[in-house]
Amino acid sequence: QGLLDPDELHSTEKADAMQHLLQHILKISRSLLTAYGLYKVSPGSRFGHLTKRRAAPTMGDGAEDCSPVDAGLITAAASQNPQHTNNGNTTATGNAWLPPDLDEETPLALRHPVKVKNLRFSRRKTSGMIQKILELRKSRSTLAKPFADFMLDHLPEYVTREAAVEFAINIYASVRRFSDEPDFLAYLMLLQGKLSDKVIKDNMTLCTELLQSFDGMNKLKDGSKTVTKTQFWQGLRSMLPNKDPERLEHIVRCCLPNGHHNHIVDVRCLLLDDPYVFSPVVFALRVQHLEESLELSERLEQVIRGCVTSGQSSVTYEKVEEAFQNDVELQPLVQDSEIAQAFGATVSALKPTSEETVDRLIELMKNGHVFRLQFSPILEQRQQST
């Protein structure tokens, strides 16, 4: 028996069957492909704990208005499978409450000692709200404020002041629920204050930019979409020159199709960043980019906080510059102009006694160009060329 007979006349029954079939295909393929991505990227990864969760959330998490939930572009019927709550535990679908959350990694403003009404936000609604808030954060003053705190002040207009905290808690819970996917893992790092707006934006466009760069390479100028595995590896290495060789080798060894080094692969399939059809290469590149950025972000914060003693809330330019000059890893990466920009001045106008609060300085340094230059220089090159 065929799944669908194309010779049958159009009918509401046929349309319903097609919708259910499409939902089924998308749900299963999404879960399967995400599982491959998680498995391939997990060895040695600090995000390896994701493999201990389910491969991917089902597409049927109920929406806040009790209507079927979209998982991006397609609306799916309510699932009967368990779903993960914001702390990683499973509860029955239809649970009307989020359990208390006092986790240390949860932003302070979003912790709650009592249960909170579950608004059951969809992927698309969650992503859409976060992207709109990201677009509002462009000036130095907005970037200096932690994203979670800024979000609380810039929720949709229809959210009342009394409901703002509950609404924001649900955004965070939704991000946690879907955080085994690259987009939502990036959002989680953003909300927890571990990565900056700029890193998140770069992460979301990384593979698209790599694909465009491959298209511009001589070997693809004839319109061909294929290269050998060796050419693909050489292309990645040239476009990501600062990438850890072991991480790149892991992608080539574990994420590419089987075959010898001259085996032909389709570049546009390997680097297609599609929310429904995850390429293991895309998954690994994006998760590794978040990993690499997180390591540098933590190092920057450690150095800056090391400039002050307990109880101090401000730091001088003199101490910060000296700390970076004495750090073997960061000294060649952090330029004087980066530090000056974080202090809100030009290099020539900076004085040794210039001061900035520690927390504000850390937020601004995390939004510097050092991350793009180090981990996605192709984005910086393309921006300069345009």
Side-chain angles (χ1 to χ4, degrees):
Q1 181 179 1
L3 294 175
L4 197 66
D5 189 346
D7 294 328
E8 289 182 357
L9 296 176
H10 292 287
S11 64
T12 55
E13 290 80 7
K14 184 177 180 181
D16 287 342
M18 176 64 82
Q19 180 177 347
H20 287 300
L21 176 61
L22 180 59
Q23 290 170 187
H24 173 76
I25 292 172
L26 288 174
K27 181 172 71 174
I28 298 303
S29 63
R30 184 188 190 109
S31 298
L32 179 63
L33 291 167
T34 306
Y36 274 102
L38 287 169
Y39 176 76
K40 293 299 185 184
V41 82
S42 64
S45 171
R46 62 189 300 167
F47 300 131
H49 64 282
L50 296 176
T51 60
K52 296 179 175 62
R53 300 173 60 186
R54 58 182 171 165
T58 57
M59 296 177 63
D61 301 298
E64 73 287 348
D65 58 359
C66 298
S67 63
V69 166
D70 58 87
L73 302 175
I74 303 297
T75 301
S79 169
Q80 299 303 313
N81 295 327
Q83 69 180 25
H84 280 267
T85 61
N86 64 334
N87 62 0
N89 298 324
T90 55
T91 59
T93 299
N95 192 334
W97 301 96
L98 298 173
D101 181 5
L102 295 175
D103 193 297
E104 290 185 358
E105 291 193 330
T106 299
L108 185 61
L110 303 182
R111 297 176 193 174
H112 49 104
V114 297
K115 62 183 182 181
V116 172
K117 183 179 179 182
N118 186 0
L119 303 180
R120 302 173 68 189
F121 291 156
S122 66
R123 285 180 179 83
R124 182 163 62 183
K125 178 157 189 169
T126 304
S127 180
M129 289 187 291
I130 291 177
Q131 287 295 332
K132 287 180 180 178
I133 295 170
L134 277 169
E135 288 303 311
L136 298 175
R137 285 166 57 88
K138 295 182 179 179
S139 67
R140 181 173 178 273
S141 60
T142 57
L143 291 173
K145 192 171 186 178
F147 186 86
D149 295 339
F150 185 88
M151 180 179 73
L152 271 169
D153 297 331
H154 295 82
L155 294 173
E157 294 181 359
Y158 60 82
V159 180
T160 63
R161 182 179 297 274
E162 296 75 17
V165 174
E166 178 185 271
F167 196 91
I169 287 172
N170 270 270
I171 292 177
Y172 182 72
S174 178
V175 167
R176 284 287 299 270
R177 184 162 62 248
F178 302 131
S179 64
D180 42 11
E181 301 173 17
D183 281 358
F184 289 89
L185 177 59
Y187 293 150
L188 183 62
M189 296 295 100
L190 178 65
L191 281 164
Q192 291 180 346
K194 296 180 179 180
L195 291 176
S196 69
D197 303 45
K198 182 169 290 187
V199 170
I200 302 311
K201 292 177 180 178
D202 286 352
N203 182 263
M204 292 183 169
T205 58
L206 175 62
C207 291
T208 301
E209 294 292 345
L210 288 174
L211 179 55
Q212 291 179 2
S213 296
F214 261 109
D215 283 343
M217 292 171 65
N218 289 332
K219 57 178 68 67
L220 294 183
K221 283 186 176 179
D222 59 355
S224 171
K225 302 178 183 179
T226 59
V227 294
T228 66
K229 290 174 66 173
T230 297
Q231 289 173 324
F232 182 75
W233 172 73
Q234 290 173 340
L236 287 181
R237 188 176 62 175
S238 66
M239 288 182 278
L240 303 171
N242 300 319
K243 190 170 186 62
D244 180 0
E246 289 187 8
R247 283 182 166 126
L248 183 57
E249 177 63 28
H250 177 75
I251 291 176
V252 174
R253 186 178 67 252
C254 300
C255 300
L256 292 182
N258 289 332
H260 53 78
H261 63 279
N262 286 325
H263 182 74
I264 299 297
V265 294
D266 190 319
V267 174
R268 298 181 192 181
C269 288
L270 292 178
L271 292 176
L272 178 64
D273 197 347
D274 186 289
Y276 293 109
V277 185
F278 290 119
S279 159
V281 174
V282 169
F283 195 104
L285 280 170
R286 290 192 57 188
V287 172
Q288 286 183 4
H289 175 261
L290 293 175
E291 225 171 21
E292 293 162 339
S293 299
L294 183 56
E295 291 167 1
L296 177 56
S297 180
E298 290 173 341
R299 185 66 182 146
L300 281 172
E301 182 169 352
Q302 181 184 14
V303 169
I304 294 173
R305 293 199 183 280
C307 295
V308 296
T309 58
S310 179
Q312 286 185 307
S313 59
S314 297
V315 64
T316 63
Y317 167 67
E318 182 179 32
K319 288 186 176 180
V320 172
E321 183 188 33
E322 181 182 2
F324 282 128
Q325 288 294 328
N326 293 333
D327 190 285
V328 177
E329 296 178 14
L330 295 180
Q331 191 274 332
L333 300 179
V334 180
Q335 305 299 316
D336 290 341
S337 57
E338 290 278 321
I339 303 176
Q341 188 175 14
F343 273 88
T346 62
V347 175
S348 59
L350 268 179
K351 299 178 180 179
T353 55
S354 298
E355 281 193 347
E356 184 59 91
T357 63
V358 174
D359 291 338
R360 184 180 174 90
L361 183 64
I362 289 172
E363 290 294 329
L364 291 169
M365 287 295 294
K366 286 181 179 180
N367 273 285
H369 285 288
V370 61
F371 291 89
R372 176 174 288 183
L373 292 172
Q374 183 68 7
F375 303 124
S376 49
I378 187 66
L379 299 177
E380 184 70 13
Q381 294 168 11
R382 188 172 294 278
Q383 185 180 47
Q384 291 178 356
S385 66
T386 55

